[in-house]
Amino acid sequence: MSRKLIASVSIAVLCIAITGGAIWKLIKEKNSTIELKLATGSQGGDYYNFGTAIQRVIFKNEPRIQVQVIPTNGADENMQLLHDGKVQFALVQNDTPAKPSARAVALLYPEVFHLVAAQKSQIQTIFDLKGKRIALMPKGSGSYNAFWILAQHYDLKPTDFKWFQMTPEQATIAFRSGQVDAVFRTLAIGNSWTKELLRTTQARMIPIDQAAAMRISYPYLIDSTIPKGTYKAIPAVPNENLPTVGVQAALITNENISPQLVKEITSILYEYRHDLVKVEPKAATISQPDIGQNLGVALHQGARDYYDREKPAFLTENAEVIALLMSVVTLLVSSVWSLRSNVLAKQKNRADKYNLQILALIETARKTDDKEELDNLRQELFQIFRKVVQDWDNDRISPESFQSFAFSWQVAINTIHHKEIVALNKSNHSQNFGTQFSELKATNNQ
């Protein structure tokens, strides 16, 4: 065999080996299991539940990525765990002091200040907290940090009142037993904890009406409102739109995490948002962080790659079209503006139509005690919800209109649930009466 032939065969074998090795590496990486840890919050709390929803959706759509949900004491601990490399992802509020290694992935949903006071405490405003007993969440939690921001703005000192660090369960018990006069937490609007506390105690919600002023010192805060009837429809709680202050819950990661992995996680959050909304309706407000939202954390390169995924291809493939459009853009401005106005009007009209349907369902539910009719109303309510989610995802209604609808929808579902309980109680009462009447009749016959 000639030397040239031997050399050619050797080169061919080497190329095959290299190609085969590369292919094997790609197959192995594609099929290998990736284990991640996500720091959340106290077990059973909003952050823990939201983290569990993320875990399920990721596993459902990409089983090789396995997320372990880690319960913690709150945002400060989450940030430290992330910085120390003990977890790969974490849920925090955007007012949490950031570590240098932290990078943003997505904003999840708004959380607002909830100050609940006992009726007999005579607390009507923030200033009335002086001399009172207040339950705060554990030190290091986002709620704990938020309260002292609020107190500092209103010039309240730690010595002006008695305050106690408690878990949510401890705070609930202390409030119900009269050991504290008020409880402060930072939670999503419409959360179950506040709803249950207001339902089972004589309490009121205290307005926090200086959000704009607070933003001067703390620009990451947001001006927010808890809509009338959020926590109870009849009678309405709160009994009017309640001003308050909010922050944003955010998903963050470490700068050392692979950009490709972060891009994949970000993609799942957005591409399969429908699955996430079914488990956690708050996921409907997931959005891209930007500088204007004062997150205080740079965007991770992997998340940026996902958000910018269409930019290079679009510019490259449509360069000539873009140049042509730029030459006639001045002629189209008025038409585009008019079209935009029409789209916004259609979005509002569509949202108003859904809200009217919800109001009609609430009115029907209030007038009936028939369990079958209430069940039909509930099914109709969920059908409306599915249509609204589809319309929102297809830009047929605006995010603001979706949030407004979500509150109305929650009021409706609460009303139906209340009426179902009433109907069940009446049915049980009728059955008991019929049984007693039959027994009495049998006795008389004897």
Side-chain angles (χ1 to χ4, degrees), residues 5 62 77 94 100 142 163 169 207 220 276 294 325 335 365 393 409 420 439:
L5 182 57
E62 189 51 77
E77 181 182 353
N94 64 337
W163 52 278
E169 294 77 15
Y220 49 77
L276 202 54
N294 295 290
L325 290 175
S335 298
D393 208 50
W409 188 88
E420 286 175 337
E439 291 175 352

Side-chain angles (χ1 to χ4, degrees), residues 98-114:
K99 297 291 185 180
S101 59
R103 294 292 183 270
V105 177
L107 292 177
L108 302 178
Y109 60 88
E111 295 184 295
V112 302
F113 295 1
H114 285 70

Side-chain angles (χ1 to χ4, degrees), residues 67-87:
V67 179
Q68 180 183 358
V69 179
I70 306 297
T72 69
N73 291 322
D76 285 355
E77 181 182 353
N78 293 353
M79 187 68 76
Q80 188 63 50
L81 289 172
L82 187 72
H83 181 68
D84 294 341
K86 296 180 179 179
V87 300

Side-chain angles (χ1 to χ4, degrees), residues 170-321:
Q170 292 170 339
T172 301
I173 294 172
F175 187 81
R176 286 175 175 165
S177 61
Q179 298 176 44
V180 296
D181 303 304
V183 182
F184 178 87
R185 292 190 71 184
T186 304
L187 297 164
I189 294 176
N191 68 87
S192 58
W193 182 88
T194 303
K195 185 179 302 181
E196 181 66 14
L197 189 66
L198 292 170
R199 186 185 69 83
T200 57
T201 63
Q202 296 294 318
R204 67 165 65 92
M205 300 189 69
I206 308 303
I208 304 172
D209 59 357
Q210 296 187 20
M214 293 178 67
R215 290 192 65 192
I216 296 174
S217 300
Y218 306 99
Y220 49 77
L221 298 177
I222 57 177
D223 192 343
S224 190
T225 300
I226 300 176
K228 175 181 177 180
T230 294
Y231 293 107
K232 190 176 181 182
I234 307 171
V237 179
N239 59 7
E240 60 182 1
N241 289 343
L242 192 78
T244 188
V245 182
V247 292
Q248 288 277 0
L251 176 64
I252 62 174
T253 188
N254 191 290
E255 63 180 345
N256 296 323
I257 303 301
S258 161
Q260 181 58 39
L261 177 59
V262 174
K263 181 180 179 180
E264 195 167 0
I265 296 293
T266 310
S267 173
I268 293 172
L269 291 179
Y270 279 85
E271 303 300 329
Y272 300 98
R273 183 160 44 188
H274 282 148
D275 293 339
L276 202 54
V277 169
K278 290 177 184 177
V279 184
E280 273 289 349
K282 295 189 291 292
T285 60
I286 289 178
S287 61
Q288 172 184 350
D290 60 45
I291 296 174
Q293 290 164 315
N294 295 290
L295 184 59
V297 177
L299 192 62
H300 192 281
Q301 184 59 50
R304 186 182 301 279
D305 289 344
Y306 174 79
Y307 295 130
D308 295 343
R309 62 195 181 283
E310 295 181 355
K311 288 184 178 179
F314 181 82
L315 294 175
T316 302
E317 295 178 10
N318 300 282
E320 295 181 1
V321 176

